[in-house]
Amino acid sequence: MNSQETKQSDWFDWAESFLADWKVRNTEWHDSLSPDAERVIELASQAARSLNHDYLGAEHLLAGMLKLNSGDAAVALKHAGLTLPLLREFIVAERGLGGPKKAEGAIPYTPRCKGIILRARARARDLGGTVKVEDLLLQLLAEREGLPAIMF
């Protein structure tokens, strides 16, 4: 085997190992979410796509919570006067619409959004349960920066 074939073989071994590890982490990630929390993230992704954004941020999580429209989080947000049209208007005014090309495949989380989800997971793990929508909202409200913090 020449050095080029060795490099290619090493790369394929690495890629196969990386993919296997990623699948395990992805499964653990989703297993820690309640069905409603997972749905919020799906709806957040849809919200990001509807704005042609190529990232999933805290503002999209908030949109996902409003779109789910059930549970204590939705009641609290509505009680605070937040609606989907108002949120969309605010996001467009602050971030604009994305480019003309729609994002394909999985949309990456912003560091802030990922932090919100990870802190919600840690809190739920400490309480011995799964991440609920209310856990996501509490962590989102704890943020001192980003669009939702500006809104609140």
Side-chain angles (χ1 to χ4, degrees):
M1 196 183 270
N2 66 30
S3 69
Q4 181 67 23
E5 289 172 336
T6 302
K7 285 181 186 177
Q8 187 173 1
S9 175
D10 289 345
W11 185 89
F12 282 116
D13 290 343
W14 172 85
E16 188 175 83
S17 173
F18 178 83
L19 183 59
D21 290 345
W22 179 82
K23 285 180 179 178
V24 168
R25 285 191 311 272
N26 195 38
T27 300
E28 290 171 355
W29 175 272
H30 287 283
D31 286 348
S32 68
L33 301 173
S34 71
D36 281 347
E38 192 159 343
R39 183 72 180 135
V40 162
I41 292 174
E42 290 170 13
L43 292 169
S45 179
Q46 289 175 13
R49 288 178 195 283
S50 76
L51 296 164
N52 289 347
H53 291 167
D54 58 358
Y55 62 91
L56 201 153
E59 60 273 21
H60 303 116
L61 272 182
L62 196 53
M65 290 175 200
L66 287 168
K67 280 182 141 184
L68 184 65
N69 197 25
S70 70
D72 293 336
V75 170
L77 292 171
K78 285 181 184 177
H79 186 69
L82 190 57
T83 64
L84 269 172
L86 181 63
L87 178 61
R88 181 180 174 87
E89 182 180 314
F90 185 75
I91 292 171
V92 170
E94 293 292 320
R95 296 283 194 256
L97 293 173
K101 186 178 178 186
K102 295 231 183 228
E104 294 186 24
I107 300 176
Y109 299 107
T110 62
R112 178 169 290 115
C113 182
K114 190 172 186 177
I116 289 166
I117 296 168
L118 290 174
R119 286 191 307 277
R121 280 183 67 203
R123 181 177 188 275
R125 186 176 48 244
D126 290 346
L127 296 173
T130 59
V131 176
K132 295 178 178 56
V133 177
E134 292 75 18
D135 297 318
L136 294 171
L137 179 58
L138 287 173
Q139 296 308 315
L140 195 144
L141 291 172
E143 286 290 315
R144 299 287 181 224
E145 296 180 9
L147 288 185
I150 293 168
M151 285 188 72
F152 294 123

mmCIF file with all atom_site columns, all heavy atoms in Angstrom, residues 1-12:
data_model
loop_
_atom_site.group_PDB
_atom_site.id
_atom_site.type_symbol
_atom_site.label_atom_id
_atom_site.label_alt_id
_atom_site.label_comp_id
_atom_site.label_asym_id
_atom_site.label_entity_id
_atom_site.label_seq_id
_atom_site.pdbx_PDB_ins_code
_atom_site.Cartn_x
_atom_site.Cartn_y
_atom_site.Cartn_z
_atom_site.occupancy
_atom_site.B_iso_or_equiv
_atom_site.pdbx_formal_charge
_atom_site.auth_seq_id
_atom_site.auth_comp_id
_atom_site.auth_asym_id
_atom_site.auth_atom_id
_atom_site.pdbx_PDB_model_num
ATOM 1   N N   . MET A 1 1  ? 0.859   -1.173 0.000  1.00 0.00 ? 1  MET A N   1
ATOM 2   C CA  . MET A 1 1  ? 0.000   0.000  0.000  1.00 0.00 ? 1  MET A CA  1
ATOM 3   C C   . MET A 1 1  ? 0.901   1.230  0.000  1.00 0.00 ? 1  MET A C   1
ATOM 4   O O   . MET A 1 1  ? 1.783   1.376  0.824  1.00 0.00 ? 1  MET A O   1
ATOM 5   C CB  . MET A 1 1  ? -0.877  -0.042 1.260  1.00 0.00 ? 1  MET A CB  1
ATOM 6   C CG  . MET A 1 1  ? -2.039  0.883  1.203  1.00 0.00 ? 1  MET A CG  1
ATOM 7   S SD  . MET A 1 1  ? -3.031  0.904  2.742  1.00 0.00 ? 1  MET A SD  1
ATOM 8   C CE  . MET A 1 1  ? -4.218  -0.356 2.434  1.00 0.00 ? 1  MET A CE  1
ATOM 9   N N   . ASN A 1 2  ? 0.641   2.155  -0.934 1.00 0.00 ? 2  ASN A N   1
ATOM 10  C CA  . ASN A 1 2  ? 1.457   3.375  -0.976 1.00 0.00 ? 2  ASN A CA  1
ATOM 11  C C   . ASN A 1 2  ? 0.923   4.410  0.006  1.00 0.00 ? 2  ASN A C   1
ATOM 12  O O   . ASN A 1 2  ? -0.128  4.221  0.631  1.00 0.00 ? 2  ASN A O   1
ATOM 13  C CB  . ASN A 1 2  ? 1.544   3.931  -2.405 1.00 0.00 ? 2  ASN A CB  1
ATOM 14  C CG  . ASN A 1 2  ? 0.208   4.429  -2.929 1.00 0.00 ? 2  ASN A CG  1
ATOM 15  O OD1 . ASN A 1 2  ? -0.642  4.879  -2.165 1.00 0.00 ? 2  ASN A OD1 1
ATOM 16  N ND2 . ASN A 1 2  ? 0.016   4.345  -4.234 1.00 0.00 ? 2  ASN A ND2 1
ATOM 17  N N   . SER A 1 3  ? 1.648   5.511  0.172  1.00 0.00 ? 3  SER A N   1
ATOM 18  C CA  . SER A 1 3  ? 1.267   6.509  1.188  1.00 0.00 ? 3  SER A CA  1
ATOM 19  C C   . SER A 1 3  ? -0.084  7.164  0.892  1.00 0.00 ? 3  SER A C   1
ATOM 20  O O   . SER A 1 3  ? -0.825  7.500  1.797  1.00 0.00 ? 3  SER A O   1
ATOM 21  C CB  . SER A 1 3  ? 2.363   7.566  1.341  1.00 0.00 ? 3  SER A CB  1
ATOM 22  O OG  . SER A 1 3  ? 2.433   8.368  0.183  1.00 0.00 ? 3  SER A OG  1
ATOM 23  N N   . GLN A 1 4  ? -0.405  7.329  -0.390 1.00 0.00 ? 4  GLN A N   1
ATOM 24  C CA  . GLN A 1 4  ? -1.699  7.918  -0.768 1.00 0.00 ? 4  GLN A CA  1
ATOM 25  C C   . GLN A 1 4  ? -2.840  6.994  -0.344 1.00 0.00 ? 4  GLN A C   1
ATOM 26  O O   . GLN A 1 4  ? -3.838  7.440  0.212  1.00 0.00 ? 4  GLN A O   1
ATOM 27  C CB  . GLN A 1 4  ? -1.746  8.175  -2.282 1.00 0.00 ? 4  GLN A CB  1
ATOM 28  C CG  . GLN A 1 4  ? -3.030  8.812  -2.756 1.00 0.00 ? 4  GLN A CG  1
ATOM 29  C CD  . GLN A 1 4  ? -3.200  10.234 -2.231 1.00 0.00 ? 4  GLN A CD  1
ATOM 30  O OE1 . GLN A 1 4  ? -2.241  10.906 -1.869 1.00 0.00 ? 4  GLN A OE1 1
ATOM 31  N NE2 . GLN A 1 4  ? -4.428  10.685 -2.171 1.00 0.00 ? 4  GLN A NE2 1
ATOM 32  N N   . GLU A 1 5  ? -2.694  5.704  -0.582 1.00 0.00 ? 5  GLU A N   1
ATOM 33  C CA  . GLU A 1 5  ? -3.724  4.737  -0.191 1.00 0.00 ? 5  GLU A CA  1
ATOM 34  C C   . GLU A 1 5  ? -3.844  4.651  1.324  1.00 0.00 ? 5  GLU A C   1
ATOM 35  O O   . GLU A 1 5  ? -4.941  4.512  1.862  1.00 0.00 ? 5  GLU A O   1
ATOM 36  C CB  . GLU A 1 5  ? -3.398  3.357  -0.773 1.00 0.00 ? 5  GLU A CB  1
ATOM 37  C CG  . GLU A 1 5  ? -3.584  3.281  -2.273 1.00 0.00 ? 5  GLU A CG  1
ATOM 38  C CD  . GLU A 1 5  ? -3.076  1.969  -2.861 1.00 0.00 ? 5  GLU A CD  1
ATOM 39  O OE1 . GLU A 1 5  ? -2.191  1.334  -2.231 1.00 0.00 ? 5  GLU A OE1 1
ATOM 40  O OE2 . GLU A 1 5  ? -3.553  1.596  -3.935 1.00 0.00 ? 5  GLU A OE2 1
ATOM 41  N N   . THR A 1 6  ? -2.715  4.777  2.031  1.00 0.00 ? 6  THR A N   1
ATOM 42  C CA  . THR A 1 6  ? -2.724  4.754  3.492  1.00 0.00 ? 6  THR A CA  1
ATOM 43  C C   . THR A 1 6  ? -3.482  5.963  4.030  1.00 0.00 ? 6  THR A C   1
ATOM 44  O O   . THR A 1 6  ? -4.311  5.842  4.937  1.00 0.00 ? 6  THR A O   1
ATOM 45  C CB  . THR A 1 6  ? -1.285  4.733  4.050  1.00 0.00 ? 6  THR A CB  1
ATOM 46  O OG1 . THR A 1 6  ? -0.617  3.586  3.534  1.00 0.00 ? 6  THR A OG1 1
ATOM 47  C CG2 . THR A 1 6  ? -1.279  4.707  5.565  1.00 0.00 ? 6  THR A CG2 1
ATOM 48  N N   . LYS A 1 7  ? -3.205  7.142  3.464  1.00 0.00 ? 7  LYS A N   1
ATOM 49  C CA  . LYS A 1 7  ? -3.905  8.367  3.895  1.00 0.00 ? 7  LYS A CA  1
ATOM 50  C C   . LYS A 1 7  ? -5.401  8.238  3.666  1.00 0.00 ? 7  LYS A C   1
ATOM 51  O O   . LYS A 1 7  ? -6.203  8.592  4.518  1.00 0.00 ? 7  LYS A O   1
ATOM 52  C CB  . LYS A 1 7  ? -3.368  9.594  3.139  1.00 0.00 ? 7  LYS A CB  1
ATOM 53  C CG  . LYS A 1 7  ? -2.026  10.059 3.601  1.00 0.00 ? 7  LYS A CG  1
ATOM 54  C CD  . LYS A 1 7  ? -1.601  11.272 2.817  1.00 0.00 ? 7  LYS A CD  1
ATOM 55  C CE  . LYS A 1 7  ? -0.187  11.682 3.165  1.00 0.00 ? 7  LYS A CE  1
ATOM 56  N NZ  . LYS A 1 7  ? 0.255   12.822 2.348  1.00 0.00 ? 7  LYS A NZ  1
ATOM 57  N N   . GLN A 1 8  ? -5.776  7.708  2.498  1.00 0.00 ? 8  GLN A N   1
ATOM 58  C CA  . GLN A 1 8  ? -7.191  7.555  2.182  1.00 0.00 ? 8  GLN A CA  1
ATOM 59  C C   . GLN A 1 8  ? -7.836  6.556  3.142  1.00 0.00 ? 8  GLN A C   1
ATOM 60  O O   . GLN A 1 8  ? -8.926  6.804  3.651  1.00 0.00 ? 8  GLN A O   1
ATOM 61  C CB  . GLN A 1 8  ? -7.373  7.104  0.742  1.00 0.00 ? 8  GLN A CB  1
ATOM 62  C CG  . GLN A 1 8  ? -8.822  7.083  0.311  1.00 0.00 ? 8  GLN A CG  1
ATOM 63  C CD  . GLN A 1 8  ? -8.971  6.786  -1.176 1.00 0.00 ? 8  GLN A CD  1
ATOM 64  O OE1 . GLN A 1 8  ? -7.998  6.570  -1.882 1.00 0.00 ? 8  GLN A OE1 1
ATOM 65  N NE2 . GLN A 1 8  ? -10.201 6.780  -1.641 1.00 0.00 ? 8  GLN A NE2 1
ATOM 66  N N   . SER A 1 9  ? -7.166  5.469  3.417  1.00 0.00 ? 9  SER A N   1
ATOM 67  C CA  . SER A 1 9  ? -7.690  4.467  4.337  1.00 0.00 ? 9  SER A CA  1
ATOM 68  C C   . SER A 1 9  ? -7.847  5.051  5.739  1.00 0.00 ? 9  SER A C   1
ATOM 69  O O   . SER A 1 9  ? -8.871  4.848  6.399  1.00 0.00 ? 9  SER A O   1
ATOM 70  C CB  . SER A 1 9  ? -6.756  3.258  4.370  1.00 0.00 ? 9  SER A CB  1
ATOM 71  O OG  . SER A 1 9  ? -7.183  2.336  5.338  1.00 0.00 ? 9  SER A OG  1
ATOM 72  N N   . ASP A 1 10 ? -6.844  5.820  6.195  1.00 0.00 ? 10 ASP A N   1
ATOM 73  C CA  . ASP A 1 10 ? -6.917  6.466  7.505  1.00 0.00 ? 10 ASP A CA  1
ATOM 74  C C   . ASP A 1 10 ? -8.083  7.444  7.561  1.00 0.00 ? 10 ASP A C   1
ATOM 75  O O   . ASP A 1 10 ? -8.793  7.527  8.555  1.00 0.00 ? 10 ASP A O   1
ATOM 76  C CB  . ASP A 1 10 ? -5.611  7.196  7.835  1.00 0.00 ? 10 ASP A CB  1
ATOM 77  C CG  . ASP A 1 10 ? -4.460  6.250  8.120  1.00 0.00 ? 10 ASP A CG  1
ATOM 78  O OD1 . ASP A 1 10 ? -4.721  5.050  8.345  1.00 0.00 ? 10 ASP A OD1 1
ATOM 79  O OD2 . ASP A 1 10 ? -3.301  6.723  8.109  1.00 0.00 ? 10 ASP A OD2 1
ATOM 80  N N   . TRP A 1 11 ? -8.279  8.184  6.478  1.00 0.00 ? 11 TRP A N   1
ATOM 81  C CA  . TRP A 1 11 ? -9.358  9.162  6.456  1.00 0.00 ? 11 TRP A CA  1
ATOM 82  C C   . TRP A 1 11 ? -10.705 8.460  6.540  1.00 0.00 ? 11 TRP A C   1
ATOM 83  O O   . TRP A 1 11 ? -11.585 8.878  7.281  1.00 0.00 ? 11 TRP A O   1
ATOM 84  C CB  . TRP A 1 11 ? -9.280  10.012 5.180  1.00 0.00 ? 11 TRP A CB  1
ATOM 85  C CG  . TRP A 1 11 ? -10.310 11.097 5.203  1.00 0.00 ? 11 TRP A CG  1
ATOM 86  C CD1 . TRP A 1 11 ? -10.163 12.348 5.725  1.00 0.00 ? 11 TRP A CD1 1
ATOM 87  C CD2 . TRP A 1 11 ? -11.652 11.020 4.728  1.00 0.00 ? 11 TRP A CD2 1
ATOM 88  N NE1 . TRP A 1 11 ? -11.321 13.051 5.601  1.00 0.00 ? 11 TRP A NE1 1
ATOM 89  C CE2 . TRP A 1 11 ? -12.268 12.261 4.992  1.00 0.00 ? 11 TRP A CE2 1
ATOM 90  C CE3 . TRP A 1 11 ? -12.399 10.034 4.118  1.00 0.00 ? 11 TRP A CE3 1
ATOM 91  C CZ2 . TRP A 1 11 ? -13.587 12.535 4.653  1.00 0.00 ? 11 TRP A CZ2 1
ATOM 92  C CZ3 . TRP A 1 11 ? -13.721 10.309 3.784  1.00 0.00 ? 11 TRP A CZ3 1
ATOM 93  C CH2 . TRP A 1 11 ? -14.294 11.549 4.052  1.00 0.00 ? 11 TRP A CH2 1
ATOM 94  N N   . PHE A 1 12 ? -10.876 7.383  5.772  1.00 0.00 ? 12 PHE A N   1
ATOM 95  C CA  . PHE A 1 12 ? -12.150 6.656  5.798  1.00 0.00 ? 12 PHE A CA  1
ATOM 96  C C   . PHE A 1 12 ? -12.403 6.046  7.167  1.00 0.00 ? 12 PHE A C   1
ATOM 97  O O   . PHE A 1 12 ? -13.529 6.045  7.656  1.00 0.00 ? 12 PHE A O   1
ATOM 98  C CB  . PHE A 1 12 ? -12.208 5.585  4.705  1.00 0.00 ? 12 PHE A CB  1
ATOM 99  C CG  . PHE A 1 12 ? -12.498 6.143  3.339  1.00 0.00 ? 12 PHE A CG  1
ATOM 100 C CD1 . PHE A 1 12 ? -11.566 6.037  2.326  1.00 0.00 ? 12 PHE A CD1 1
ATOM 101 C CD2 . PHE A 1 12 ? -13.694 6.779  3.070  1.00 0.00 ? 12 PHE A CD2 1
ATOM 102 C CE1 . PHE A 1 12 ? -11.835 6.559  1.076  1.00 0.00 ? 12 PHE A CE1 1
ATOM 103 C CE2 . PHE A 1 12 ? -13.980 7.312  1.826  1.00 0.00 ? 12 PHE A CE2 1
ATOM 104 C CZ  . PHE A 1 12 ? -13.037 7.197  0.814  1.00 0.00 ? 12 PHE A CZ  1
#
